[in-house]
Amino acid sequence: MVTKGAIILSRGYQMRYSQYFLPTLKETPGDAEVVSHQLMARAGMIRKVAAGIYDYLPFGLRVIRKVENIVREEMNRAGAIELLMPAVSPAELWHQSGRWQEYGKELLRFKDRKETDFCMGPTHEEVVTEIVRGTVRSYRQIPLNLYQVQTKFRDEIRPRFGLMRGREFIMKDAYSFDIDDAGADVSYRKMYQAYRLIFERCGLEFRAVEADSGTIGGSFSHEFMVLADTGEDAIVSCNSCDYAANVEKAELRPAVGQAPAPGMPLGKVATPNLKSIDDVAAFLKETPQKMVKTLVLQNEREETIAVLLRGDRKLNEIKLCNYLDCKHIQLADEALVRKLTGAPTGFSGPIGISCRVIADQDLAVMSDFGLGANEENFHLTGANHGRDFQVEAFVDLREAEAGDECPRCSGKLEAWRGIEVGHVFKLGTKYSEKMHATVLDDQGQERILVMGCYGIGVGRTAAAAIEQNHDENGIIWPMPLAPFQVIVTLLNPNDEAVLAAGEALYTQLLDAGIEVLLDDRDERPGSKFKDADLLGIPLRINVGARGLKEQSFELQERRSGERTMLPIAGAAARIAEQVRAAL
RNA sequence: CGGGGAGUGGCGCAGUCUGGUAGCGCGCCAGUUUUGGGAACUGGAUGUCGCAGGUUCGAAUCCUGUCUCCCCGACCA
C-alpha cells in the first residue's frame, strides 16, 4: 500500500488509472476521418507524429501486443520460427533482386555517411533470402519458415486513416522456403490455416479471398479481409460455397447460350446531349441492360482499345490489363476519343472506330442492342455483333457484383467492403533465382528454393477490430484483444469503504491473472463511465456505496450495456471465469 | 504528381476580406460546493498566430518565398 515518502513498488501500481498514462480526448481530432482512427486518438492509443507516423501510447501498445501474441502463438504452432531482421537494408541486396529499380518512390532511400545507398525495409524478401542462401545448403534443412514482427516503412503516396494505412507500421512477415512446388503448396496451406485461426481468435468477422497476384506473377494468393463498410477493398463471396474473391480478381461465369438472331435493322436516332447510358436508355424507353457502352482506353504503351460492356456493368481494369498484358490502363481523354471515333465522349461505339475492339463475355449473348453512333448527338439501335461490327474477342472483363452467379457453384455472390489485414502469397522462385538461393537435393542436384511470403498488418488488425466493434460511445474490444479485460470503477474513491472494497477486488483480480485497470481517479462517476465506454474494456465493475450496502458490486458489460449485481463474496472468481470464457 | 482546403495555447475553433498589438469552448492549476452517465461557481496559468523575408508608424491580417498537415484523384508486394 501507499506509504508516504517511500518509493512504492507495489504490484499492479501502474494499473491504477490515476497513475497510468492514458490521455483521453473529449473531442475528435480534426484530421481523423474513419471511426477507428477517431477512437484510437480519443482513447489515448496513438498520437500522430507526422503523416502516417504515430506514437503508440501505452493503451494502444497493449492492444498491439495482444495482436502480436496471438500471431506469434499461431505462427509458432504452424511451425514458423521467429527471428528479427534489420529495419534498414543496404541497396546492394535490392540490386540483386532488381527491386532497387523496380520499386517506386514507396521505397524510402537514403545514404549513410560513406555515401552508400540504403533503404528502410518495406518488406524483407531480399534480406531473408540472403540469410537462407548463406546458411541453408541441404534439402535436409528444408522446409523452413522464418518470420518476424517488425516495424516497416513504405513511403505511401497518401497515408490515411490512422494505423489503417500508415507509412510506418508494424507487420508480421513470414517467408517459407521449400525444395519444390508441392512443398511450397504445403507451406502455403499451413499459413492459410494459421491465418484463419489468428483472425478467428481475434474475434473478427473476415473472409479469406482470392486475390490478384499482380505484377509479381506468383501462382496464387489470398487476402484476409475483415468485413467493414469503411474497408478500402471490395470483395465478393458466395452465399452457398466458400468461394470468395477480391473484385479485382473475381471471375465470372461465361454467359450460357447464344445470342438470339438479330431481329431489328440497324437504326440511327438523334440523342441530343444524351451522353450517359442511363439517359440514352430512358430516352429510348429501354433498360440499360439492352444498351452497350463503349469505353475507349489507353495503356502505358500508348495502345488504344475500345471495350464493350453491357450498359449496367462496370469494367474491371485489372482483368483488362491481364488480357492486354499491360500494367496500367486509363480512360482516353476527350481529344483521343475524338480522334478515334470522330465524336465527343458519350457517343462512342464500335462501328467505324479506329482501334482494337474487345467485348465483355456478356455481349456474346446479346442482340438488338443500343450503341453510340460515333457521331455527336446520335446513337444506334438494333445493333448486332457479327452483322454490324466485329469484335476481336469476348473476354471476362467486367467487375463482379452482388447477385452474380458464383463461378464455382450454383450460389449467388454477395458483395462486401473489406480491410486487408493479411495476405498470403506464393512467390515461387522470383527471389531465390535472382539471388541464387539453392540447396542440394537427395540426388546431389542443385535446386532453386520455392518461396512463399505471408504478411499480417498488426496495427491494421487492431484498427479493423475497432471498425467492426464500436458504438456511438466508443470502442468495444473483443476480449482477446482488450488492453484490459476488466475495469474496476470506484464511484467515489473518497469513500473509505468503497476504496477498500475496490482495492480488494482489484488485488484479487490481479492474483487471478486478470488484466485489470482500477479507475481510482477523483472524478465524477459520469466522467469515468464515459471514459470506460470510450476505452472499450469489455467488463466494468462499478464499486459504489449503493451496492456495498447489499454486499454487491455491479457488473456492466460494455457490449450489451447489461448490468448485474454480483455478491462481493466470490466476485473476483466469477469475473475471472467470465473473462477466461471469452478468450 | 494534379486539384481543393488548412496551419492561431494540450484539443476543437473564431478573428484574416476591411492592418491598430489575440479571443471563445473544452482541457489544465488552486479553492469552495458537488458526486450513479463528461458538475457549478470563483480565481489563475498557458500563444515567438507554421517558418523566413518584405511592405507599413504599426502585420495573425497585405506581398513573396518556404515547410507541414488534411481531403479528392492519380498511385499503391
Side-chain angles (χ1 to χ4, degrees):
Chain A
M1 260 312 145
V2 178
T3 309
K4 278 186 182 138
I7 293 168
I8 309 301
L9 294 172
S10 153
R11 175 177 42 99
Y13 184 66
Q14 78 284 6
M15 290 190 182
R16 290 162 198 273
Y17 203 135
S18 64
Q19 310 301 319
Y20 196 51
F21 181 65
L22 186 35
T24 57
L25 262 37
K26 227 182 217 180
E27 289 174 281
T28 299
D31 58 6
E33 280 283 300
V34 296
V35 70
S36 59
H37 186 192
Q38 292 171 351
L39 290 175
M40 279 190 172
R42 286 192 54 209
M45 294 177 65
I46 56 170
R47 279 177 71 92
K48 186 169 70 184
V49 178
I53 299 176
Y54 293 84
D55 293 313
Y56 299 92
L57 302 184
F59 194 72
L61 184 60
R62 290 183 79 100
V63 177
I64 295 292
R65 293 286 185 247
K66 287 287 175 97
V67 176
E68 287 177 357
N69 286 338
I70 290 172
V71 168
R72 284 198 173 93
E73 285 176 21
E74 295 304 328
M75 290 302 292
N76 293 343
R77 204 195 306 266
I81 304 164
E82 185 170 8
L83 49 47
L84 185 58
M85 292 179 264
V88 170
S89 55
E92 166 60 22
L93 281 176
W94 294 73
H95 282 304
Q96 290 178 22
S97 70
R99 280 161 116 194
W100 189 257
Q101 272 74 35
E102 278 175 28
Y103 228 110
K105 289 194 193 160
E106 213 176 294
L107 184 64
L108 180 65
R109 304 154 206 249
F110 54 92
K111 290 179 192 299
D112 70 0
R113 63 167 71 199
K114 292 186 289 191
E115 294 287 305
T116 306
D117 285 313
F118 285 87
C119 64
M120 293 299 297
T123 174
H124 282 68
E125 283 83 1
E126 283 82 358
V127 183
V128 77
T129 304
E130 198 276 335
I131 293 172
V132 168
R133 78 171 168 198
T135 51
V136 176
R137 303 271 159 66
S138 158
Y139 72 98
R140 294 173 202 272
Q141 294 164 280
I142 294 295
L144 183 63
N145 186 331
L146 298 173
Y147 80 97
Q148 63 177 343
V149 178
Q150 193 212 30
T151 296
K152 297 278 190 281
F153 195 94
R154 295 180 193 175
D155 200 357
E156 292 274 350
I157 290 171
R158 194 144 94 81
R160 58 186 132 180
F161 305 153
L163 296 193
M164 202 89 92
R165 183 177 283 275
R167 295 147 91 199
E168 185 181 292
F169 58 99
I170 298 171
M171 181 174 172
K172 186 286 299 177
D173 47 324
Y175 306 89
S176 67
F177 296 86
D178 284 275
I179 197 154
D180 56 22
D181 229 46
D185 287 353
V186 171
S187 294
Y188 183 93
R189 280 201 293 277
K190 273 191 192 162
M191 285 295 103
Y192 180 92
Q193 276 312 321
Y195 274 38
R196 292 206 77 97
L197 291 171
I198 286 166
F199 297 118
E200 270 164 27
R201 278 189 62 187
C202 287
L204 297 169
E205 201 189 339
F206 67 96
R207 295 281 186 283
V209 306
E210 293 182 11
D212 186 73
S213 42
T215 46
I216 282 274
S219 42
F220 48 98
S221 129
H222 284 86
E223 290 165 340
F224 287 76
M225 296 283 192
V226 170
L227 304 184
D229 292 340
T230 48
E232 294 187 90
D233 289 279
I235 62 177
V236 289
S237 66
C238 178
N239 63 6
S240 168
C241 72
D242 60 2
Y243 179 77
N246 193 311
V247 294
E248 293 179 349
K249 163 88 176 175
E251 312 149 32
L252 289 164
R253 219 188 261 216
V256 289
Q258 287 194 320
M264 292 167 66
L266 190 63
K268 187 158 122 181
V269 290
T271 50
N273 292 317
L274 299 177
K275 292 184 159 215
S276 76
I277 285 288
D278 288 344
D279 290 348
V280 175
F283 178 77
L284 296 175
K285 299 195 167 47
E286 277 293 358
T287 59
Q289 287 90 322
K290 285 293 287 177
M291 302 292 298
V292 166
K293 66 178 160 193
T294 305
L295 302 176
V296 182
L297 301 111
Q298 185 174 36
N299 67 13
E300 78 275 9
R301 299 189 295 260
E302 305 216 333
E303 294 164 350
T304 53
I305 187 150
V307 172
L308 305 184
L309 285 169
R310 207 173 86 180
D312 58 331
R313 301 303 196 188
K314 275 166 77 177
L315 174 66
N316 180 333
E317 294 185 9
I318 291 177
K319 287 181 180 177
L320 180 59
C321 283
N322 287 342
Y323 176 74
L324 296 174
D325 193 23
C326 65
K327 286 197 177 98
H328 311 290
I329 194 139
Q330 57 185 21
L331 284 172
D333 59 24
E334 180 84 28
L336 185 56
V337 171
R338 272 183 188 276
K339 187 177 150 211
L340 296 172
T341 70
T345 56
F347 303 97
S348 302
I351 302 177
I353 199 168
S354 48
C355 65
R356 292 167 66 184
V357 177
I358 58 173
D360 177 62
Q361 59 188 11
D362 286 356
L363 269 286
V365 296
M366 289 177 69
S367 60
D368 297 333
F369 41 82
L371 276 177
N374 287 338
E375 183 178 339
E376 185 162 10
N377 296 334
F378 284 95
H379 279 79
L380 302 176
T381 57
N384 288 276
H385 47 75
R387 184 190 72 182
D388 303 319
F389 62 93
Q390 301 297 327
V391 302
E392 176 185 314
F394 293 96
V395 187
D396 175 14
L397 290 176
R398 57 170 268 243
E399 195 157 276
E401 53 190 57
D404 282 332
E405 286 180 25
C406 174
R408 300 287 154 76
C409 76
S410 57
K412 296 269 192 227
L413 296 182
E414 298 175 293
W416 312 86
R417 301 295 298 180
I419 299 166
E420 182 190 345
V421 291
H423 199 162
V424 293
F425 212 108
K426 192 173 159 200
L427 277 180
T429 55
K430 176 178 165 124
Y431 298 92
S432 44
E433 196 168 349
K434 283 189 172 142
M435 297 181 68
H436 306 295
T438 60
V439 293
L440 295 182
D441 67 14
D442 55 1
Q443 309 294 313
Q445 292 289 311
E446 190 173 58
R447 303 278 287 264
I448 297 168
L449 290 169
V450 184
M451 294 173 61
C453 73
Y454 317 93
I456 289 179
V458 173
R460 191 183 274 189
T461 300
I466 295 175
E467 291 291 332
Q468 217 172 61
N469 297 281
H470 69 273
D471 63 16
E472 65 281 4
N473 294 313
I475 304 169
I476 306 172
W477 289 113
M479 190 64 80
L481 300 187
F484 293 95
Q485 295 151 345
V486 176
I487 180 167
V488 174
T489 301
L490 305 182
L491 295 182
N492 182 354
N494 296 321
D495 179 326
E496 285 187 19
V498 168
L499 181 63
E503 292 271 4
L505 176 63
Y506 171 61
T507 308
Q508 288 162 18
L509 287 170
L510 287 176
D511 285 343
I514 300 303
E515 293 171 292
V516 51
L517 181 65
L518 178 68
D519 192 349
D520 59 340
R521 293 174 302 167
D522 186 13
E523 295 286 341
R524 296 170 66 85
S527 301
K528 294 198 249 196
F529 293 158
K530 288 289 184 189
D531 271 334
D533 285 352
L534 173 63
L535 297 174
I537 298 169
L539 299 180
R540 185 168 98 215
I541 314 299
N542 296 323
V543 181
R546 201 196 279 172
L548 291 188
K549 263 189 243 161
E550 299 165 27
Q551 288 298 300
S552 300
F553 299 129
E554 183 181 61
L555 167 66
Q556 185 165 358
E557 294 191 26
R558 174 63 182 89
R559 191 176 291 276
S560 63
E562 199 173 290
R563 300 182 211 183
T564 46
M565 296 309 288
L566 211 58
I568 291 179
R574 285 187 55 188
I575 295 161
E577 192 182 319
Q578 186 166 349
V579 168
R580 299 230 160 75
L583 283 174

